[in-house]
Amino acid sequence: MAATADTTAPPALAERPKRADARRNYDKLVTTAREVFAEQGSDATLEEISRRAGVGIGTLYRHFPAREDLVEAAYLDGVEEICAAVGKHDGEDPWDALKGWLLELVGFAATKRVLADEMFAYLDRGAPVFKSCSGAIYDAAEPLLKRAQEAGEVRDDVDILDVTKMVSGIAGLRTVERDQVERLVGIDLDGLRPTA
């Protein structure tokens, strides 16, 4: 069963600086923004992000003239990271590879939810950036699912859209501790196994 999501490639991150020092500052700001937004949600301030990144507020505004520019860069950077994480599972048993990547998706989904909530303040729901990012995640992860299905370790009647929505839904539970989220994901993943 194939996912029906829009699989257009995600928009590239804003043009990254060419000078080494500017590039370091840019990367520090994006990484720190993801951390601060994950911790503080919409209460996160640009001043706190620049302070924790160890750069001046002027440097932040040179790279990201508006708050939404930084939020979008942090979101897209996270999408690139979770897509690249698929490669870490090359060579693993098909079930272990799928399960390992999905557990990484759990961590990403919590941060993604906060950033997505921020972005919704600036963009209409269903904006192309969300559709293309979702498509990139599905495209990256679908081979993991297919390999597990071909090995007979995952039922044939699910697709990557089903699986990622299931895991992301659990990861999005706001009143559940991380250990319990991983336990719930494990229970759900058992439901992907073929019936005898």
Side-chain angles (χ1 to χ4, degrees):
M1 218 178 198
T4 57
D6 176 1
T7 55
T8 310
L13 290 177
E15 184 65 32
R16 290 180 170 142
K18 308 254 186 285
R19 279 189 5 238
D21 61 333
R23 174 58 191 238
R24 276 192 303 274
N25 288 338
Y26 179 96
D27 290 342
K28 280 195 287 189
L29 285 164
V30 170
T31 300
T32 303
R34 284 175 53 200
E35 293 167 2
V36 174
F37 281 120
E39 290 170 18
Q40 301 177 12
S42 59
D43 293 335
T45 65
L46 297 182
E47 291 76 12
E48 173 67 6
I49 293 167
S50 71
R51 184 190 66 73
R52 285 185 39 185
V55 303
I57 192 72
T59 299
L60 183 148
Y61 280 114
R62 268 193 302 283
H63 290 293
F64 306 103
R67 180 183 178 93
E68 59 263 34
D69 297 326
L70 179 57
V71 171
E72 186 170 324
Y75 185 86
L76 293 172
D77 188 62
V79 169
E80 287 180 353
E81 189 175 293
I82 197 65
C83 288
V86 169
K88 294 189 326 193
H89 301 283
D90 287 345
E92 292 180 4
D93 168 81
W95 174 255
D96 292 339
L98 178 63
K99 184 176 179 180
W101 183 82
L102 288 169
L103 288 173
E104 289 185 60
L105 182 63
V106 167
F108 170 67
T111 302
K112 179 182 142 185
R113 183 191 69 236
V114 172
L115 291 170
D117 289 348
E118 271 283 309
M119 286 177 70
F120 284 146
Y122 308 111
L123 302 169
D124 292 330
R125 184 171 288 277
V129 68
F130 291 110
K131 289 181 182 175
S132 61
C133 287
S134 294
I137 292 171
Y138 302 144
D139 284 350
E142 191 165 34
L144 290 176
L145 176 63
K146 293 288 184 202
R147 197 162 64 96
Q149 287 172 321
E150 289 165 5
E153 299 198 40
V154 173
R155 25 192 293 189
D156 290 329
D157 64 339
V158 297
D159 62 27
I160 197 62
L161 185 61
D162 296 330
V163 176
T164 56
K165 293 280 186 197
M166 175 184 73
V167 170
S168 295
I170 294 169
L173 296 171
R174 296 176 191 263
T175 58
V176 178
E177 295 297 319
R178 170 75 187 218
D179 290 348
Q180 189 177 10
V181 166
E182 289 186 6
R183 184 174 166 279
L184 291 172
V185 168
I187 291 168
D188 262 16
L189 291 180
D190 286 342
L192 294 178
R193 296 291 203 166
T195 55

